Every structure is written in structure tokens, then in C-alpha cells.
């Protein structure tokens, strides 16, 4: 896809300065750009790279624009957002032809819109409802009574188990598993007795779910993911978890059963969240945090950054006697 | 499935009080129940919800039963277990018809019981033995010489690699990979030389393995998972690990090679266990614990709960000098 | 495969002592060996097991050899490496016949060498190039314009998305997903706007990628994995990460976007690495470390080993007031 600077600025609703007729065919970082590229300056730390940037056009804020030597600039108060919108224009998602590949195995009792595209070896079970514009990649499995909303994209080798409901414009990445049983067992004198997991997974609109991420079905009620939620890879969402709208989670987060995560939260990589608690809207958790009780809105941490191992081991050993040290200091204070 | 209160009580071997003829069609939480529902009170913290509960029948302990206003109660010393048994009655697993789907690709040299059910696009390699009542979901792969025991359920898109042996009544969830190579390399002047992984994965009876969980084959001997073990999602079981009977592990646990995990252990989410060590029977590990040496029976932790980030950072920085602080306190003590 | 002791010694370039005509058919640990077995002594901690070892031949260092009672020994300065080479001889990888299984779904516009082997239900999209000796397991997906180099093995149910480039002699394990979108979104007044991920994944030669490991495509440029890198299971490699040659990572490591990992690094299980930083060549990170800033060459840790829970909780609570304790000690020192 090629667009002129003027066309891009018009479509993303921003103004431009300089030569609007230059044709742009790709995005690039400030340091790798050439005269067919559009680049952007979002983080002021990279301002000095702007001077030598060979891009045809740079998206940048009004206050930074004097630094640019490019043929043109697009002025935006949010260059990163404008870049996202531009990249969507230049790289439209590959949309395969509508229709069902002859190798797909489709139950007779399904409702598939003729505008949907089902690739090779897709399997669709009875009762499934697949809307217009849905794209399902090769080898993906659509279980009984699954519903997939308008223009949702299921990448290859995804597993959607019985009763999963997906809204519109979702993207579900390869290896993701939605609707597997939650981890529920009752203990009978040491042995574990399975508790049937009879709830579903209900996903809103505009949700993205990463590769190898798992969202378990509810034990009794449903597991629910709100509109606009973005989940990275290798995330575990336990049964009956709820995640509020527009919350984003980085990779490897684990959420135990029945946790309620608020809206507009930012949860960094490898955070662990215990079950049966609530995290308020707008909460931020930094990497490797462990949450064991409910949290009101705020920014929280418990991850420890690395230290040289020899020093670290001495400190880690001492940590095991920290309670004792507090008592010793108290005693010194009492005696001083 | 509908059952009367009297039928349920009879089948789970408990007594009931009140109207035994009420028909029950579903399970519900105390707060969401209606007059077709059975609910349960296990955790006394929810006792106050019992009073307003609209369930037709509640499973509860003798000592709690006065709180109930429901039409009937089922009396049980272990309400959660009785609930599990009831839910199994009301929600029998969907069992597809026996037989092999025409799209499945089956080697000629296999032994598949006519009572097994193999879904669309299943692939079975030479030497596989599949017992009566086995259900294999769409797209799953059964490698050479794999054995699958009576009534084991393989969900869609599971991968069972060469030589995996599964006992009876297992459930293996979607995305799980059993029998991939362990991580074994010898170092040759900086480069890594692969060590062929020639052991197998041997799984007992009544085991459940979660979505996207991986169990690696042994390097020389076998990786072994005991009867009744329950593994949640995203767990990594390294080569030559052994897990004793009825041990349960929550999601995202990682176990390095040749660790021996005892029986009846409870291992919480995101615990990391180093290789070549032993954990005694009946040990409990809380969330995000790190185990680097063998453990006798006990309850262990090393995860740190979150604190507000500003406070946390100050403390985390100080931790890097904790050894020094101990020395300073010692000096103060010596001089006092 | 059977080989005599003399044949093995010759092929791995080491000398032997004792009976060179004994036939060896399998590898075994020192404690499980029988008279058809070859075993090895690498870790001196196991020296006492050598005396009772029933192996036909043991690979060991010159200085340890007097302990052996076996019929023969193979003398090696690096017994573990010699064992790896021996096991490769005794257990050659199963290589299926060349050709494309009739159930595979192959686009007409592809370049597949006749010496490649594609199993049942493999799907190959337009533009793919598959070299001689490549083996692709059942159910794997090869996206548009993917390139797979000489003798690379793709295990069953792997997903290689558009544009992934794999070098020669790689092994990609089941459930791995290469080339899924990186996690990139711009924030628009609270909502997330997707940034198209237009880079690729470029993998060198002799790389092994574990089960359920994910390597995301680059956002603008490419994600790059160097020659000889070994990645265990459940690893997350974010967009635009680079990993230098011969670096090894144990399971469950997470690497955020644009991190640069050096060559010859050893990264233990469950390490978390933040984005946009560099780790020097030859760096070691121990289990559960968290890296939040660039590291020069060294050995680093931040994981905390377990303690009995009662003691641990007291210490963990105190840690939240560690900064205060430092101040109190300072005050005592000032007053002493």
C-alpha cells in the first residue's frame, strides 16, 4: 500500500507541513528510515535521532518539529497513536477470501455467515454461530455452541471450547485456548474429586488475546473479559475471573480463580494474582508483583531487581533473619 | 439432566431434610441460585448469604443448617465434596459417539478399541494403543507407540509424542504437549550439543493435565506422574521429574529436570523448583516460591506481596545492602 | 542401533581401555545400567556409584578411571559431551520418508524440496520455501512466505506465521508459535489502538525452540535469534528482541520487547527481562531473577529461596519497613 503524506495526514485527522505529495510505502524507526518511510518521534529521548533521520516524513509534536530535516512532518499531539493509525493504513490486515476451505470439517447444525472465511482443517462443532467477516485460521477448533462476533480473527491453531462467546473485532492468537476446564477439585481424604466446570467464557468486543494464553471456563458462573482488553502471550486466566474494560496485561501473568480485575489497569509481565480478590480500576502492577489481597487504586510492586550473585546471596540469607534484626535494633534503641 | 433432591441425596450417599421431590436442574452459587438450583455452603464466611439464598436445596453441614430458608437441605460433613459429586450427576460429560471420524489419519498398524471415539483431523501414528472409552478431540496428535488407557479424554489440539503412556480416566486439556524432548545439552567449547532424550512420559490413572502444560520425556529414564495428580495450565515438568500421587499444582509452576516431588503436595501458582532435589510428601508451597534445595515435609514460602511502588522501591534498594546492615547492627551491639 | 565399544570410541574420537568388542545398545545412568549399556561419569559426586555400576562401558575422565569395574571404559576429558555424541549414534532421530502426505493442504505457489517430509494435515501457505531434509510434523502450520532451512525439524502442531525465516538444523517443538503479533498498542484516551506488527522472526542455524514457546514478530524491524541458541519450553520472546549466538534459556523465561540478549549467556528458569535494555555476552542469570536495567558481563540473581512459611511471613512483613530500619540504625550510629 502506498499513500502520499497528504493522504495519510487527512485520513488520520492531523495536519502536515512540507511536501504532501511524497509517496510513503512503509514505516521505519528513526534510525532505519529511508525516503519511502514514515517514522515518528514519541519519546523525547530520541530527539537527537531526528536530525539524521532519512524518513520522508516524521510524525512529531508541535514543540519538537524544528529538529526535523525530513521532507515533511505530520504534527500530532500523540505521535505514537498517529503512528499506529498510519501503520494500519499502510499495512491492512491480509483478508483471505470468504468461504469454507474444502478440508474444513463443519457440523451440519451451524450458522456460518457467507462472508466468513474458514481455512484448511478448521473444525466447527454443532451449534456454532460465526458472523460476517470472521476469519478463522488453519487448524483452529470451534467447539459446540461457540459464538464468534463480526470481523473477529482467529489465528491458526487456536482452540475455542464449548460455549465460548467472542464479541466483534477480536484477535485471538495461535496456541490460545479459551474455555478449558477451570482447576476445581474437592478433596476426599487426600484424593481429588473433579468439580464439573459448567460456566462459559464471555469475551467482549475489540479484545486481543495472545499466543498460548489460556482463559478457563467458569466453574458455575462465567469467566468474563471486558471490551478492549489486551492480553499478551502465556497468560493464565482462571475460572470465574473478570477483567474490566481496556485493561492491558503483559506476558506470563497468572490470575487465580474468581479474581476481579478492574478496568483500565496496567499489569506488567509475570505478575501473579491470587484468587477471590478485587483490584480497583486504574491500578498499575509492575513486573513480577505478587498480589495476595484486594487493592485499591494505585501503583504496586514486589519484584526485586537483580544484584551481582555473590552480594545477592549474602543479602538473601540475611533476609531470612530480618525479623530478628528488627528486634535487635529495637533493643538497642530501648537501651540507648 | 434433572434430578429430585431425594435422588441426589441418595446417589451421593447423604441425608436430606425438607421436600425431597423438588426437581433440580442446575448448580448455582448462594447469591445466584433460583428455585431449580442446588447450592452449597462450604466456607463459613458465606453463612450470611444462606439466609437470602433462593436455591431449592443447599448442601451444608449439620451445624450450619438452621441458617437455611431453602425448601430442602442436604446434610454433609464435606459440602464441597458433595457439591462436586452432585455437579457430576447434573452435568455428565458430553460423550461423543464411538468410532473414528473419516477425516482422521490413522496408521494401519495401531490398536484402537471400537469403543473409542476419535474426532476430526486426529492423527494416530504406528504402534499406538487406544483403549475402550477413550475420547480424542479434533486435531490431536497421537505419536508412535503411545498408549492411552480406559476412558481417558484427550481434548482438541493436544500433542502426545512418541512413547507417551497414559493410564485410565485421565483428562488432558487442549494445547498440552506430553513427550517433547527435555532440555539437555552438553557444552563443547561454548556451543551446545544435543543429548538425545530417549526416555518416555509415564502417567498414572485419574490424572488431569491443564491447557498448554508441557511434560517432557526423560533423558535416559522416564518422567513419571503418579495416580490422581492434578496439574493446572502452563506448567512445565522437566525431564525425569517424578510427581507423587494426588499432588496438585496450580498454574505456571516450573519444575526443572530430575526433581522428585512427593505425594499429596499442594503447590501454588508460579512456584519454581530447581532440578535434582526432593520435596517430601505432604509439602505445601505458597505462590511464587522458589525451591533450590530438598525440603522435608512442611509449609514453605518465598513470595513477596505487593506494596505501594514508591515505598517498595526504597525497601528493595535497601535490601541490596542488608548484609551490611547486619554488620552495622552487630557493631552497635558490641559497642553498647 | 548396536555399536561396539571400539566403534563408539572411534566415532566420537576418544580412546578406550578394556574389551572393545562388547556390543552396546543403549544408554543408562550409572545406577540403572546393565551389560548392554553405556554410562558416563561427569559429576564427581557420583564417583562412588561407578564401583557398583553394571554398564558394559563407562565414559569417564582419565583421573577417575581406576574406580571403574566395567568391562571397558572410554576416556574423555568431557564425559558429558562424549555421552551426548554417543547417544546421538545409538539413537538416530527417526526420519520419516520424504514426500507430502495426501492429507496435507499445500498452496500451489510454494517451493518444497522433494527431499522434505510433510506429515498429515500440515498446511503450507503461498510463498513458503522448504529445503531438503526438512521434516514437518502432523498438524503444523507454515504461513505465507515462511522459509525453512536444510534439515530443520518441525514437530507436530507447531505454528509458523507469515514471514518466519528458519535456518538449518533447527528443532521446533510442539505447541511453539513463531511470528505471532508483538504486544504493541498506542493509548487513545484510555482505549488501546493496535500497532500493526510488520517485522518478521529470523532464526539462525542449529537453534532449538521448546514446546509452547512463543517468539513474536517484530513491530517494525525483525526479532532475531542467533545461531546455536537453545530455548526451553514456555519462553516468551517479545517483539524486536535479539538473542546472541549459543545463549541457552531454561523454561518459563519472559523477555519484553526490544531487549538485546548477548551471546553465550545462561539464563535460568522463570527469569523476567524488561524491554529496551542490553545484557552483555556471557552473562549468567539465576532462577527467577528480574532484570530491569542493562547488565555488563557477570552473574546476577534476585530470586529468594523458600523458608518455612511462619518465619517467612514475619520477615516479609518486616521487609516492607526496611528503609525505616536503615534510618533507625543510622540514628543509633550517629548517637553512639
Amino acid at each position: 500500500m502506498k499513500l502520499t503524506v497528504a493522504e495519510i495526514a487527512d485520513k488520520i485527522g492531523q495536519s502536515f507541513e512540507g511536501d504532501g505529495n511524497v509517496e510513503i510505502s512503509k514505516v521505519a524507526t528513526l534510525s532505519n528510515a529511508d525516503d519511502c518511510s514514515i517514522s515518528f518521534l514519541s519519546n523525547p529521548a530520541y530527539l537527537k535521532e531526528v536530525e539524521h533521520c532519512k524518513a520522508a516524513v516524521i510524525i512529531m509534536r508541535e514543540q519538537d518539529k524544528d529538529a526535523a530535516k525530513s521532507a515533511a512532518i505530520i504534527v500530532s499531539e500523540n505521535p505514537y497513536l498517529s503512528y499506529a493509525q498510519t501503520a494500519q493504513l499502510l499495512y491492512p490486515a491480509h483478508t483471505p477470501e470468504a468461504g469454507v476451505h474444502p478440508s474444513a470439517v463443519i457440523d451440519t447444525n451451524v450458522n456460518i455467515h457467507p462472508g466468513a472465511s474458514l481455512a484448511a482443517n478448521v473444525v466447527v462443532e454443532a451449534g456454532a454461530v460465526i458472523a460476517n467477516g470472521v476469519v478463522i485460521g488453519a487448524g483452529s477448533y470451534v467447539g459446540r455452541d461457540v459464538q464468534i462476533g463480526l470481523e473477529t480473527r482467529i489465528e491458526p491453531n487456536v482452540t475455542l471450547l464449548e460455549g465460548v462467546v467472542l464479541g466483534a473485532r477480536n484477535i485471538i492468537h495461535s496456541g490460545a485456548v479459551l474455555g478449558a476446564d477451570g482447576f476445581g477439585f474437592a478433596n476426599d481424604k487426600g484424593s481429588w474429586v473433579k468439580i464439573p466446570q459448567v460456566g462459559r467464557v464471555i469475551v467482549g468486543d475489540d479484545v486481543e488475546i495472545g499466543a498460548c494464553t489460556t482463559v478457563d471456563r467458569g466453574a458455575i458462573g462465567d469467566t468474563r473479559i471486558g471490551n478492549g482488553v489486551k492480553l499478551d502471550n502465556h497468560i493464565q486466566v482462571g475460572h470465574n475471573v473478570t477483567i474490566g474494560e481496556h485493561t492491558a496485561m503483559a506476558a506470563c501473568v497468572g490470575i487465580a480463580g474468581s479474581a476481579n480485575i478492574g478496568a483500565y489497569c496496567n499489569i506488567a509481565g509475570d505478575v501473579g494474582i491470587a484468587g477471590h480478590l478485587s483490584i480497583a480500576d486504574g491500578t498499575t502492577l509492575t513486573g513480577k508483583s505478587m498480589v495476595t489481597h484486594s487493592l485499591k487504586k494505585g501503583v504496586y510492586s514486589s519484584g526485586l531487581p537483580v544484584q551481582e550473585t555473590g552480594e545477592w546471596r549474602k543479602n538473601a540469607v540475611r533476609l531470612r533473619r530480618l525479623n530478628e534484626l528488627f528486634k535487635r535494633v529495637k533493643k538497642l534503641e530501648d537501651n540507648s
Side-chain angles (χ1 to χ4, degrees), chain A residues 238-242 254-261 272-279 290-294:
Chain A
H239 50 185
N240 298 97
V241 166
T242 61
I255 310 172
S258 300
N260 296 306
I261 314 297
I273 301 175
H276 297 275
L277 56 72
S278 293
I279 295 180
M290 181 173 86
V291 181
T292 57
H293 55 274
S294 291

Side-chain angles (χ1 to χ4, degrees), chain A residues 22-324:
Chain A
V22 185
E23 277 205 332
I24 303 299
S25 60
K26 64 182 183 197
V27 298
T29 60
L30 289 167
S31 57
N32 291 327
D34 64 18
D35 62 3
C36 312
S37 305
I38 186 165
S39 193
F40 69 99
L41 173 70
S42 176
N43 183 342
Y46 295 100
L47 184 58
K48 61 177 181 292
E49 290 192 18
V50 166
E51 195 176 336
H52 306 287
C53 176
K54 292 171 182 152
V57 55
I58 305 176
I59 307 170
M60 53 203 310
R61 292 187 191 81
E62 179 73 25
Q63 64 263 39
D64 296 326
K65 74 184 187 190
D66 292 344
K69 304 271 166 61
S70 50
I73 62 168
I74 289 175
V75 182
S76 166
E77 275 313 287
N78 188 341
Y80 198 49
L81 174 61
S82 296
Y83 163 71
Q85 294 163 335
T86 302
Q88 289 185 6
L89 295 172
L90 290 171
Y91 302 85
H94 173 74
T95 300
E97 276 182 62
V100 176
H101 192 276
S103 67
V105 177
I106 313 291
D107 192 274
T108 51
N109 178 26
V110 297
N111 183 345
I112 301 179
H113 191 284
S117 169
L118 280 65
N121 295 340
V122 166
V123 175
V124 182
E125 304 279 13
V129 178
I130 299 176
N132 191 11
V134 167
V135 175
I136 305 184
S140 285
Y141 174 79
V142 179
R144 290 189 303 146
D145 299 324
V146 167
Q147 299 173 35
I148 307 180
L150 281 170
E151 295 176 20
T152 281
R153 296 179 77 96
I154 311 294
E155 293 288 312
N157 289 336
V158 166
T159 306
L160 304 176
L161 294 153
E162 183 179 347
V164 168
V165 177
L166 299 180
R169 296 173 305 280
N170 291 341
I171 303 174
I172 315 295
H173 288 286
S174 298
V177 177
L178 278 66
D181 282 351
F183 196 64
F185 303 91
N187 199 285
D188 183 18
K189 305 185 188 85
S191 298
W192 298 104
V193 176
K194 184 174 179 68
I195 296 171
Q197 304 288 300
V198 304
R200 296 169 300 169
V201 171
I202 312 289
V203 178
D205 298 331
D206 301 301
V207 170
E208 189 157 340
I209 295 181
C212 295
T213 281
T214 55
V215 183
D216 285 350
R217 65 176 55 252
I220 299 184
D222 300 321
T223 304
R224 290 179 176 275
I225 298 183
N227 295 329
V229 167
K230 309 296 180 185
L231 302 182
D232 198 355
N233 300 347
H234 295 285
I235 290 175
Q236 154 70 359
V237 180
H239 50 185
N240 298 97
V241 166
T242 61
I243 304 179
E245 299 196 349
H246 305 294
T247 281
M249 295 190 194
C252 307
V253 169
I255 310 172
S258 300
N260 296 306
I261 314 297
Y264 301 101
C265 293
N266 282 291
I267 301 183
D270 205 18
V271 166
I273 301 175
H276 297 275
L277 56 72
S278 293
I279 295 180
D281 293 353
T283 294
T284 292
L285 291 160
T286 65
K288 281 194 179 286
S289 291
M290 181 173 86
V291 181
T292 57
H293 55 274
S294 291
L295 296 177
K296 59 184 184 183
K297 184 176 176 179
V299 182
Y300 300 92
S301 301
S302 63
L304 295 168
V306 290
Q307 187 175 22
E308 188 278 319
T309 296
E311 290 305 304
W312 177 255
R313 289 211 175 126
K314 289 178 202 165
N315 294 320
V317 165
R318 295 295 202 181
L319 178 55
R320 303 161 76 89
R321 291 169 46 208
L322 183 58
N323 185 44
E324 172 210 309

